[in-house]
């Protein structure tokens, strides 16, 4: 596992965006050979999306031959709802770059057959040859996507009931009213994420410090689903200083030392 520690969230976002752009450019995608990207929603990736839009506007990266699969979607709210993940992605990212709409994949939380929709999504990922780089954030309880504590580490795309903690955390997007937050979502599984060739997790803020501790220093556990990253051959965590508050001093210094040549995000392009 690589752990990139940056002083601020802004630098975390810049590093992550440059890394994504570098992976796409090195792959040199074509229509017949697209780059496949797994994407998150929530507050953690917003800065990365802003920087990726800037890189696109500068002509440093194109998404013309990139296929995307989003991690999750709420069940039962319209796609045009301002807090649906369809709206989130188009408002914050897709509408600002040159991605082909037919290359965008987001789970349909209004499908007549939700179980069938999850199976279809897994099949669609398999059909394009798998995901090259899956990006995610984590919750304070260490969940990735909507794989809440207790989720199987071999789980696949499925329907999940959301925990009270997640509903309360997401209520900030629903006028701080937990009653307005959907209680069910469709989500890729832990194994779906871990099947990607690379996985990059963004972690920022003191409220994520305990989750980062479990991701790096504690045993692998289904109670902290992000800990599965320890088993991935190409896992990266990009975090800010505030998220490192619970790490041992030795752990913190170790990763700073071995990654010091990579701390300037401008060297990644």
């Amino acid at each position: 596992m690589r752990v990139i520690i940056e002083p601020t969230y802004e630098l975390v976002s810049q590093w992550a965006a440059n890394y994504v752009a570098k992976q796409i450019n090195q792959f040199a995608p074509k229509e017949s050979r697209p780059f496949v990207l797994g994407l998150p929603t929530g507050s953690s990736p917003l800065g990365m999306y802003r920087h990726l839009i800037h890189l696109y506007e500068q002509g440093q990266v194109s998404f013309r031959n990139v296929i995307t699969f989003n991690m999750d979607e709420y069940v039962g709210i319209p796609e045009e709802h301002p807090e649906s993940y369809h709206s989130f992605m188009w408002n914050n990212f897709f509408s600002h770059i040159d991605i082909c709409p037919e290359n965008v994949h987001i789970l349909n939380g209004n499908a007549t057959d939700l179980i069938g929709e999850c199976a279809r999504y897994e099949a669609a990922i398999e059909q394009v040859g798998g995901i090259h780089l899956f990006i995610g954030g984590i919750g304070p309880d260490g969940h990735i996507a909507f794989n809440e504590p207790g989720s199987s580490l071999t789980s696949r795309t499925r329907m999940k009931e959301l925990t009270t903690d997640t509903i309360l955390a997401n209520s900030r997007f629903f006028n701080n009213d937990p009653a307005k937050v959907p209680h069910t979502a469709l989500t890729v599984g832990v194994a779906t994420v871990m099947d990607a060739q690379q996985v990059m997790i963004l972690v920022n803020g003191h409220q994520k410090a305990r989750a980062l501790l479990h991701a790096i220093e504690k045993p692998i556990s289904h109670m902290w689903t992000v800990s599965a990253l320890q088993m991935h051959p190409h896992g990266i965590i990009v975090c800010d200083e505030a998220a490192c508050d619970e790490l041992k001093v030795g752990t913190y210094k170790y990763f700073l030392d071995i990654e010091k040549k990579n701390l300037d995000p401008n060297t990644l392009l």
Side-chain angles (χ1 to χ4, degrees), residues 146-157:
F146 277 130
N147 294 288
E148 306 282 30
S151 295
S152 169
L153 301 185
T154 62
S155 56
R156 294 288 175 180
T157 304

Side-chain angles (χ1 to χ4, degrees), residues 92-154:
N92 291 295
F93 190 41
F94 294 146
S95 294
H96 307 281
I97 58 175
D98 62 341
I99 196 163
C100 300
E102 61 269 24
N103 286 345
V104 171
H105 298 81
I106 304 176
L107 282 154
N108 179 6
N110 295 288
T112 304
D113 178 3
L114 293 173
I115 294 175
E117 169 66 8
C118 294
R120 181 200 64 79
Y121 207 68
E122 285 281 341
I125 293 173
E126 185 177 353
Q127 187 174 14
V128 298
I131 292 173
H132 294 108
L133 171 61
F134 219 135
I135 304 161
I138 58 173
D141 59 5
H143 72 260
I144 51 174
F146 277 130
N147 294 288
E148 306 282 30
S151 295
S152 169
L153 301 185
T154 62

Side-chain angles (χ1 to χ4, degrees), residues 167 171 174 176-183:
I167 291 169
S171 67
F174 291 83
N176 292 311
D177 185 354
K180 294 181 179 179
V181 183
H183 288 202

Side-chain angles (χ1 to χ4, degrees), residues 208-226:
K208 306 288 181 69
R210 191 164 175 234
L212 185 63
L213 170 69
H214 280 268
I216 297 174
E217 294 184 359
K218 298 296 184 179
I220 296 166
S221 168
H222 67 169
M223 297 307 294
W224 298 84
T225 52
V226 69

Side-chain angles (χ1 to χ4, degrees), residues 24 41 74 78 81 126 128 130 152 159 187 217 262:
I24 294 171
T41 54
Y74 290 118
H81 189 287
E126 185 177 353
V128 298
S152 169
M159 186 163 52
T187 180
E217 294 184 359
N262 297 314

Side-chain angles (χ1 to χ4, degrees), residues 5 7 46 52 85 101 112 137 141 150 152 207 227 232 256 261 269:
I5 302 170
L46 280 173
L52 282 171
Y85 290 159
T112 304
D141 59 5
S152 169
Q207 73 278 13
S227 66
H232 199 283
L256 274 182
K261 68 179 183 302
L269 283 175

